[in-house]
Amino acid sequence: MTQKIIILDFGSQTTQLIGRRVRELDTFCEIMPYNKFPKDDPSVIGVILSGSPYSVHDPEAFKVDLSQFIGRIPVLGICYGAQFISNTLGGRVEKADSREYGRANLETVDTTNPLFRGFEQHSQVWMSHGDTITAIPADFEVVGSTKDVVNAAFASTKQPVWAVQFHPEVFHTIQGTQLLKNFVVDICGSRQEWSAASFVDSTVAELKQQLGQDRVILGLSGGVDSSVAAVLLNRAIGDRLTCIFVDHGMLRKNEFQQVMDDYKVLGLNVIGVDASEKFFSDLEGVTEPEQKRKIIGRDFVEVFNAEAKKITDARWLAQGTIYPDRIESLNITGKVIKSHHNVGGLPKEMHLQLCEPLKWLFKDEVRRVGRQLGMPEHLITRHPFPGPGLAVRILGDITREKVRILQDADDIYIRGLRDYKVKLSGEEARKVLAAGVPAQMQDGEIEVSLYDQIWQAGAILLSTVRSVGVMGDERTYENPVALRAVTSSDAMTADWAHLPYDFMAKVSNEIINKVRGVNRVCYDISSKPPATIEWE
């Protein structure tokens, strides 16, 4: 039986991050709405209560019946989770005089307590709360304090219950991984059996049993999720998997042929379909972003279905759905708040069953599985790319010439990011290594490309804007290109990447000199929120 940690989600932006940190400890975990604890699941070895945007005193605050698990299995409350435990069990939570946000140091910490074994005094933690715990419940004791927060961490003296007002899951809490390891491994007793290798072995066996001798169809996008799903299925059922890769004409420069060549090397059975004429024709004159997306989505389904129907004996449709796709499509009440292209029902006329071999994995785990499967690194580390392709990176209507301009500019930008190497140390190096980037630490430093530091990057053609320029002795009146690069862990929030000035100067100069139709390059320094990663 696979052991699991249940993370009850009270609406925190970092709930997924808790899940990723637990998985990094080779332990399976499942994120569930705060009110959906699985009471009769013997595989649950511990519970973590997440943070929340609410105060425990808000009328709409989320509440859970603690008696379902307290006294039965170990419990860890984080931020709101800690305040909820205190408030429910007889402690006191009050509005802080000032919001406690940012770095703090544990001035005192009880390193004899199981949760803090291996901790150093004055270890840095990250606070983010408006309320504070002014009194802890009876039969609890303080095990960690900061200068301003006396009850920063406390533990029951009678039951396996711990609570911390800081966030151990974020990088700014220097020994956060140690704390989570102490809880998950030492306190809950995880056997640490969840790994890329174990996932591949168990999933291949499950797929063989689930699919039998049936034929499966998979829509490839060239991205890491669908590619890893394809290689995993290929290992399980071989040539009974048929992949379909649709070219809508708005991929990156030379991407269609490059991806087809990659898939051939991987031994996949792939049908490549050049449907660009249909897409360009149907998009002619369309400028409204949502309409563009709808047309491309509709056309993709039509083209894909037409190819899929030729495979008359297919019984299954496989998708590269990953765990965050499913989490983001439901809020903590279980209601749909955002649809995802990989989540939902199948077209009725296809009469196919759904197969989602990656549905329990986070993005960084998908990459680890890809490496375990022996896939080439350039496929594994590819940045996310929007389904509608460059159509949503061109402001205004779509033409082949505009796509050509943007493909050329984007190609220069992405190649530049891959070629530019930087040395990192300390917290920056820890972040990159934790994300799974293959790099070796030497003398406290690692060397990686700018591309590997960034979550997503691309160029945007402002084709609705023209600007005056001078090239040689001639006046030009052409389009600007905006460059976008963001850092993120899950794309729910993102910050603009602080790229080196010499890199920006080189890339700008090369784009303007080599790409006909562009005479100005800008850099987007907007974060998400309030902006989005893509422009449309």
Side-chain angles (χ1 to χ4, degrees):
M1 182 185 299
T2 301
Q3 297 175 314
K4 72 171 81 166
I5 298 288
I6 294 295
I7 300 167
L8 293 182
D9 182 15
F10 289 85
S12 171
Q13 286 189 335
T14 60
T15 301
Q16 281 197 38
L17 196 50
I18 300 171
R20 290 177 61 214
R21 296 289 172 263
V22 173
R23 296 280 184 89
E24 287 167 8
L25 296 168
D26 298 328
T27 303
F28 182 67
C29 67
E30 191 171 347
I31 297 172
M32 308 191 75
Y34 69 96
N35 56 355
K36 300 292 184 183
F37 179 75
K39 296 179 182 178
D40 301 318
D41 188 342
S43 66
V44 178
I45 59 172
V47 179
I48 298 176
L49 310 184
S50 83
S52 175
Y54 291 117
S55 161
V56 293
H57 300 302
D58 289 342
E60 65 271 34
F62 300 126
K63 296 177 172 60
V64 64
D65 179 5
L66 295 177
S67 66
Q68 296 176 92
F69 37 81
I70 279 187
R72 292 181 47 229
I73 49 179
V75 178
L76 172 63
I78 294 175
C79 196
Y80 175 91
Q83 294 170 357
F84 182 79
I85 288 171
S86 178
N87 191 63
T88 304
L89 299 183
R92 188 165 60 249
V93 177
E94 297 179 297
K95 199 76 175 174
D97 292 336
S98 61
R99 189 164 183 256
E100 294 163 348
Y101 181 83
R103 291 175 176 85
N105 292 303
L106 290 173
E107 299 292 328
T108 59
V109 58
D110 180 3
T111 56
T112 65
N113 187 278
L115 192 67
F116 287 101
R117 283 187 186 136
F119 255 64
E120 299 173 1
Q121 297 293 337
H122 307 292
S123 185
Q124 178 181 290
V125 297
W126 185 263
M127 297 286 188
S128 181
H129 52 90
D131 289 349
T132 192
I133 297 169
T134 55
I136 61 175
D139 299 323
F140 278 73
E141 62 182 0
V142 176
V143 292
S145 302
T146 70
K147 179 181 177 182
D148 298 316
V149 184
V150 174
N151 302 312
F154 53 99
S156 172
T157 58
K158 294 187 175 180
Q159 297 174 315
V161 181
W162 289 262
V164 294
Q165 287 204 74
F166 55 87
H167 287 270
E169 71 275 20
V170 304
F171 282 104
H172 302 297
T173 297
I174 301 300
Q175 292 186 277
T177 299
Q178 179 68 45
L179 184 150
L180 290 172
K181 180 177 183 293
N182 289 343
F183 179 73
V184 170
V185 179
D186 297 340
I187 294 172
C188 297
S190 168
R191 295 189 294 265
Q192 295 186 282
E193 297 172 331
W194 176 264
S195 65
S198 66
F199 175 84
V200 169
D201 291 344
S202 62
T203 302
V204 167
E206 289 168 7
L207 288 170
K208 286 180 177 179
Q209 184 175 10
Q210 177 187 20
L211 303 174
Q213 296 300 308
D214 293 345
R215 184 169 293 280
V216 179
I217 300 171
L218 171 67
L220 285 171
S221 67
V224 62
D225 299 338
S226 65
S227 298
V228 171
V231 175
L232 197 58
L233 279 159
N234 185 61
R235 181 166 292 192
I237 63 171
D239 60 8
R240 293 197 303 282
L241 170 68
T242 301
C243 303
I244 300 173
F245 182 30
V246 177
D247 180 10
H248 49 39
M250 287 153 283
L251 300 171
R252 302 175 183 95
K253 185 175 182 178
N254 301 324
E255 183 174 30
F256 182 69
Q257 190 57 52
Q258 289 171 357
V259 171
M260 288 296 290
D261 291 343
D262 283 334
Y263 289 152
K264 185 176 181 181
V265 170
L266 290 170
L268 299 179
N269 176 25
V270 184
I271 298 171
V273 184
D274 180 358
S276 56
E277 285 293 341
K278 174 178 176 58
F279 284 88
F280 278 111
S281 175
D282 290 351
L283 286 168
E284 186 174 356
V286 177
T287 60
E288 204 277 319
E290 190 61 23
Q291 192 177 357
K292 287 184 196 175
R293 288 179 176 274
K294 288 180 178 178
I295 289 170
I296 292 170
R298 179 201 69 201
D299 284 3
F300 180 87
V301 170
E302 289 179 5
V303 173
F304 183 86
N305 285 356
E307 290 298 323
K309 286 177 181 177
K310 297 176 185 177
I311 307 169
T312 55
D313 57 343
R315 297 277 306 277
W316 298 83
L317 176 69
Q319 292 186 157
T321 312
I322 64 175
Y323 198 33
D325 298 339
R326 299 162 62 215
I327 297 170
E328 291 168 15
S329 297
L330 294 174
N331 70 4
I332 56 180
T333 63
K335 296 178 181 177
V336 174
I337 57 173
K338 177 183 128 182
S339 62
H340 188 277
H341 64 278
N342 270 354
V343 178
L346 302 173
K348 291 181 180 178
E349 66 273 13
M350 292 189 72
H351 305 294
L352 298 176
Q353 299 177 74
L354 187 60
C355 175
E356 298 173 306
L358 307 180
K359 65 182 179 181
W360 290 110
L361 299 187
F362 289 98
K363 178 72 78 174
D364 47 352
E365 292 178 305
V366 174
R367 292 191 167 110
R368 289 192 197 104
V369 168
R371 292 187 180 100
Q372 183 67 32
L373 291 166
M375 293 174 61
E377 194 65 27
H378 70 271
L379 268 181
I380 295 169
T381 58
R382 292 189 74 187
H383 288 176
F385 189 65
L390 299 180
V392 292
R393 292 182 179 175
I394 296 174
L395 273 59
D397 65 325
I398 308 299
T399 66
R400 285 189 179 273
E401 175 62 9
K402 289 180 181 179
V403 171
R404 190 274 308 165
I405 292 171
L406 187 54
Q407 283 177 333
D408 287 347
D410 184 76
D411 183 59
I412 291 170
Y413 181 36
I414 298 301
R415 280 192 293 105
L417 289 170
R418 288 188 182 277
D419 292 342
Y420 194 101
K421 306 298 183 183
V422 293
K423 290 186 176 181
L424 304 175
S425 61
E427 189 171 308
E428 288 185 320
R430 286 197 305 117
K431 286 182 181 179
V432 171
L433 292 173
V437 175
Q440 294 296 321
M441 185 76 75
Q442 188 171 1
D443 298 327
E445 290 184 328
I446 60 172
E447 185 177 75
V448 296
S449 70
L450 283 177
Y451 186 89
D452 286 335
Q453 276 189 278
I454 292 166
W455 173 268
Q456 189 169 346
I460 299 93
L461 180 64
L462 311 185
S463 68
T464 57
V465 178
R466 302 186 76 185
S467 65
V468 174
V470 177
M471 291 187 178
D473 294 325
E474 295 184 1
R475 174 185 184 274
T476 62
Y477 193 51
E478 295 177 332
N479 298 122
V481 161
L483 303 181
R484 181 78 159 136
V486 299
T487 57
S488 181
S489 60
D490 54 18
M492 299 291 284
T493 61
D495 195 11
W496 60 278
H498 295 229
L499 300 179
Y501 287 163
D502 61 330
F503 167 79
M504 297 297 292
K506 182 178 183 297
V507 165
S508 172
N509 188 59
E510 189 172 353
I511 289 174
I512 291 172
N513 286 338
K514 293 184 177 180
V515 181
R516 289 180 291 106
V518 175
N519 67 354
R520 190 177 299 269
V521 173
C522 311
Y523 187 56
D524 182 350
I525 59 170
S526 310
S527 297
K528 175 188 178 182
T532 54
I533 295 176
E534 299 294 343
W535 278 44
E536 289 193 345

